Amino acid sequence: MTTELGLTWQRFRDLRLSELTDAADGWRAASAFADAARERVDGDMSGKLAKTQDSESARSAVKRLKRLSENYHYIHTETGLVRGTLDGLASELGPPQRRLRAALEDAASLGYTVHENGSIDYPAGGRNELTGDAIPGGSVVGDNGLIGAGNPGLYRDADGMLDPAPGPGAPELKSPNPHRAKAQDVADRVAHAMREAHEIDARYSSALGKLRAAPGLTVDTKTWADVGSDVDAVSEAAHNYLEKHLPLDKSPAERKEWWDHLGQEQREEYLSAFPGVIGNLDGIPALVRDEANRENLQLLIGQLGVKHDDASRDMLGGLKGIQEKLERGSEPPMYLLGIGDKGNGRAIIAYGNPDTADNVSAYVPGLDTKLDAKFADGTVNRALQTAIGAQEADLSSRTSSIVWLGYDAPQVTPSDLASGRSVMFTNDAEAGAPDYNAFMAGISATHEGSAPHVTAIGHSYGSLTVGLAAQEKGGIPGADDIILVGSPGTGADNAQDLNVGKGHVFVGAADNDIVTKLPNHQEASGMASGAVGGGSTGFVLGAGMAGPPGAVIGGGAGAIVGGIAGYRAQDAQSDPNERWFGTDPASENFGATRFAVKDGETILEDHGKMSAHSNYFNPRKDQISADNIANIVVGNSDRITLEAPR
């Protein structure tokens, strides 16, 4: 059995898979050497030089050392990919090789001859009932799934005559020679093993063929784009390997146990060859995810850097903003727990290590949030502000403050509105809630020592995501408290429905935050009907009095007046505590603890910017709210300033 790839059953039988794993070990050593060299360049050379000398020549030397560091980084990544590819190839070829060898051993024990093309000769056997002569032997070809390449229903007898397989509905033709069925079974097993081997070989050969370094020493955006493409190719080729060896469909606790039982070399392999997988796997320790995601961040920047559509440019701005923050450093230190280009982008960032913290908060942003420059400069800073506030609120404990953009928040764009993905619908929150809970389960699984005090925080539409997550069976894993700010509702009727006890649900709602006062469905329906009716009436009356100009003016005025009238009519008939997504969390009926926040500016005062909806975490804009959030996060809810419910 041969193909243009040159992989015959003889070669496959004799292939020493240990040679592939030995080669992978060699590439592992090269990858480790490059990584160690990069660390020496960054730390012992350029780092010390930058700190101890300030001159043009020193800055020039640091620039050249940075170039050398990037080269080592590139070598480390590419050799790691080669290592992972070879290990994956060896692992996947193992089962079909064992099946091939077993089939060949059976053929030998039965005295059958296996030809180079995979056909099998079997001897005479049995007796002809009429003549008493031995039934002649023949030859069979295995079914390898290829047209014209053999069929289990075809065989040749000793005279070379080919007997066809029966047609549909006809009884199956069976050779009276007992060896024929056994030979066919062996031939089919050989063919099946070789078909598997050829498919595996083709996948991995294609991936390995892409792992080629470009000439020269310059490592730039295009280089990293090529590396990102290589990572995708290796991940695609090794899909079956990943499914078999990585606990992709397991719980975060099971993944943590799997990681703990891996050897150091296995961990290094997965980190270098599949950073995008390991970095986004809930249940993997924070330090490991951070290392993998920093690697994946560079690859994503390279891939998006050569694209020119608006979505890629937006996401690239967010990735570069995160990279700048990581390089600049912070206190508490920053950890990249998730990154990706799915949907509107994914990013999970922690200030403080959640695996060693005494307190952990995980904040879900809402409306119009996506991975762009605004996210890196604005949304991420809210997590930092909470971390700093928590540190000030309790100097004796350690806090990790997380921003979780692990879902697609609704965007204020025509395309989202047209597709039904808008802030008026629950579909984005429903999709995000299970993923948020999986992340929180991972936080519980990887934490070292006693369980931390955990606070789930939802802002704006993110409060709906948190609310739905809390209403899933068992609630949000590990959550002790829930904070809702700027909330249009949680999908729950009462704080008790959020599974932490109503005394552990806290709400901040600025008086001038219109999102917390969105009308309920009845009121919105009344507004729409009133606007249509009032606009029509105003149009007709205006046209009768002043012609077309009067119609336009009258229609607009009528729509406003009609909308207000419709809202009031429905408001009088509906529960005043109801909001678009259920009971107003700040109302007395909901039963949560409302903490004090500043009123904020009205829409007219801040020229339509809705700043009252965005100030909850910012101590410069709303110190009282930021302090209250910090105290809840560190478990000092008895110190917060209260405000009466609506």
Side-chain angles (χ1 to χ4, degrees):
M1 178 173 291
T2 61
T3 72
E4 63 275 12
L5 296 177
L7 183 63
T8 65
W9 65 259
Q10 296 97 327
R11 289 178 179 175
F12 187 39
R13 175 198 62 194
D14 299 334
L15 178 64
R16 295 175 59 186
L17 298 181
S18 61
E19 293 181 351
L20 291 175
T21 55
D22 288 346
D25 287 342
W27 287 102
R28 181 195 65 79
S31 181
F33 175 83
D35 192 38
R38 179 192 177 198
E39 288 185 1
R40 287 196 299 273
V41 170
D42 290 345
D44 298 339
M45 299 172 70
S46 63
K48 288 184 178 179
L49 188 61
K51 291 178 181 178
T52 59
Q53 298 187 40
D54 183 17
S55 64
E56 188 62 37
S57 59
R59 286 189 289 272
S60 178
V62 169
K63 187 175 181 180
R64 290 195 297 271
L65 287 170
K66 181 175 177 58
R67 178 181 176 185
L68 179 61
S69 173
E70 281 297 289
N71 276 274
Y72 279 130
H73 186 188
Y74 174 73
I75 294 169
H76 165 66
T77 304
E78 287 287 89
T79 51
L81 289 174
V82 176
R83 180 254 187 114
T85 305
L86 291 174
D87 273 339
L89 175 60
S91 176
E92 286 200 48
L93 285 177
Q97 186 186 61
R98 289 191 290 272
R99 286 193 288 271
L100 172 67
R101 288 175 173 175
L104 294 173
E105 288 173 2
D106 288 347
S109 67
L110 292 166
Y112 301 161
T113 301
V114 183
H115 293 287
E116 186 175 347
N117 69 347
S119 63
I120 295 179
D121 290 347
Y122 58 91
R127 292 288 173 181
N128 188 308
E129 294 182 358
L130 296 177
T131 66
D133 296 333
I135 299 171
S139 178
V140 293
V141 179
D143 178 16
N144 65 1
L146 303 175
I147 297 176
N151 186 289
L154 301 180
Y155 68 95
R156 295 181 185 275
D157 60 20
D159 298 323
M161 298 299 292
L162 184 67
D163 290 337
E172 181 182 359
L173 297 177
K174 294 184 178 179
S175 169
N177 186 334
H179 287 293
R180 191 269 172 185
K182 295 178 182 178
Q184 186 65 66
D185 174 66
V186 172
D188 287 345
R189 287 157 60 197
V190 170
H192 178 69
M194 291 307 299
R195 182 170 71 248
E196 274 193 277
H198 287 142
E199 188 274 329
I200 294 167
D201 183 54
R203 271 193 285 118
Y204 281 94
S205 294
S206 175
L208 281 169
K210 295 178 180 178
L211 301 179
R212 297 175 181 175
L217 295 174
T218 301
V219 177
D220 54 16
T221 299
K222 186 177 183 301
T223 306
W224 286 115
D226 291 338
V227 176
S229 178
D230 293 343
V231 171
D232 289 344
V234 171
S235 296
E236 184 177 349
H239 177 73
N240 295 337
Y241 173 75
L242 290 173
E243 285 194 335
K244 179 180 179 181
H245 289 81
L246 271 66
L248 302 178
D249 59 346
K250 301 295 184 181
S251 70
E254 290 171 316
R255 292 170 183 166
K256 174 60 165 56
E257 184 178 1
W258 165 80
W259 184 262
D260 286 345
H261 286 84
L262 288 180
Q264 186 58 35
E265 289 189 5
Q266 288 177 299
R267 292 179 179 179
E268 290 175 359
E269 175 189 338
Y270 294 137
L271 273 171
S272 59
F274 313 109
V277 178
I278 297 299
N280 291 288
L281 207 57
D282 296 321
I284 301 300
L287 289 175
V288 178
R289 293 182 70 164
D290 179 65
E291 180 182 349
N293 285 316
R294 287 177 189 244
E295 187 72 28
N296 197 38
L297 176 64
Q298 180 69 66
L299 302 178
L300 288 171
I301 287 174
Q303 288 178 297
L304 292 171
V306 295
K307 297 181 179 180
H308 305 292
D309 58 286
D310 291 341
S312 295
R313 280 194 290 267
D314 281 349
M315 205 174 297
L316 182 62
L319 293 172
K320 286 186 174 180
I322 291 171
Q323 186 180 53
E324 290 172 3
K325 288 180 179 293
L326 288 168
E327 291 175 349
R328 191 161 58 240
S330 64
E331 183 55 44
M334 187 175 172
Y335 296 86
L336 190 56
L337 303 182
I339 199 73
D341 58 357
K342 179 182 178 181
N344 291 325
R346 300 288 186 265
I348 307 172
I349 295 166
Y351 283 98
N353 186 345
D355 290 348
T356 58
D358 303 300
N359 312 296
V360 177
S361 68
Y363 145 58
V364 182
L367 174 64
D368 215 27
T369 306
K370 62 180 179 179
L371 183 54
D372 58 7
K374 288 191 300 182
F375 175 80
D377 289 336
T379 307
V380 172
N381 284 340
R382 292 174 183 166
L384 177 59
Q385 288 163 344
T386 298
I388 294 172
Q391 198 171 45
E392 294 172 349
D394 187 353
L395 298 175
S396 64
S397 66
R398 296 165 297 178
T399 297
S400 175
S401 175
I402 302 168
V403 55
W404 184 86
L405 184 62
Y407 80 124
D408 281 328
Q411 304 294 302
V412 186
T413 64
S415 59
D416 276 342
L417 293 171
S419 66
R421 290 187 61 253
S422 83
V423 74
M424 308 308 290
F425 301 97
T426 62
N427 48 352
D428 286 325
E430 290 169 353
D435 292 336
Y436 180 71
N437 278 348
F439 173 76
M440 297 300 279
I443 293 296
S444 296
T446 59
H447 193 270
E448 303 169 9
S450 58
H453 176 261
V454 176
T455 306
I457 304 176
H459 173 231
S460 184
Y461 187 90
S463 67
L464 175 63
T465 306
V466 168
L468 295 180
Q471 291 172 78
E472 288 195 341
K473 185 178 180 180
I476 298 171
D480 298 291
D481 294 313
I482 291 176
I483 298 175
L484 309 168
V485 287
S487 177
T490 63
D493 294 326
N494 191 277
Q496 193 66 40
D497 299 335
L498 302 186
N499 283 306
V500 291
K502 64 190 308 180
H504 292 274
V505 179
F506 302 89
V507 177
D511 279 349
N512 290 322
D513 181 355
I514 63 169
V515 174
T516 70
K517 298 179 178 180
L518 287 177
N520 59 43
H521 290 267
Q522 285 180 291
E523 292 166 342
S525 176
M527 288 174 66
S529 299
V532 171
S536 299
T537 302
F539 184 89
V540 172
L541 293 175
M545 297 175 63
V552 174
I553 296 172
I560 294 172
V561 173
I564 294 172
Y567 169 81
R568 287 176 174 171
Q570 290 298 329
D571 182 52
Q573 301 178 45
S574 62
D575 185 345
N577 295 310
E578 283 298 303
R579 292 294 180 261
W580 187 258
F581 293 123
T583 305
D584 177 9
S587 70
E588 186 173 5
N589 282 9
F590 191 73
T593 300
R594 186 182 183 189
F595 58 85
V597 303
K598 281 190 175 182
D599 293 345
E601 295 178 300
T602 66
I603 289 184
L604 294 177
E605 289 171 339
D606 70 357
H607 308 289
K609 294 179 181 178
M610 291 177 58
S611 63
H613 185 59
S614 307
N615 292 339
Y616 296 101
F617 302 91
N618 190 335
R620 291 190 299 106
K621 298 290 185 67
D622 192 344
Q623 183 71 61
I624 189 171
S625 176
D627 286 346
N628 284 329
I629 291 172
N631 273 304
I632 296 168
V633 166
V634 299
N636 292 337
S637 58
D638 56 327
R639 299 181 184 176
I640 65 174
T641 306
L642 300 179
E643 185 170 348
R646 288 174 177 163

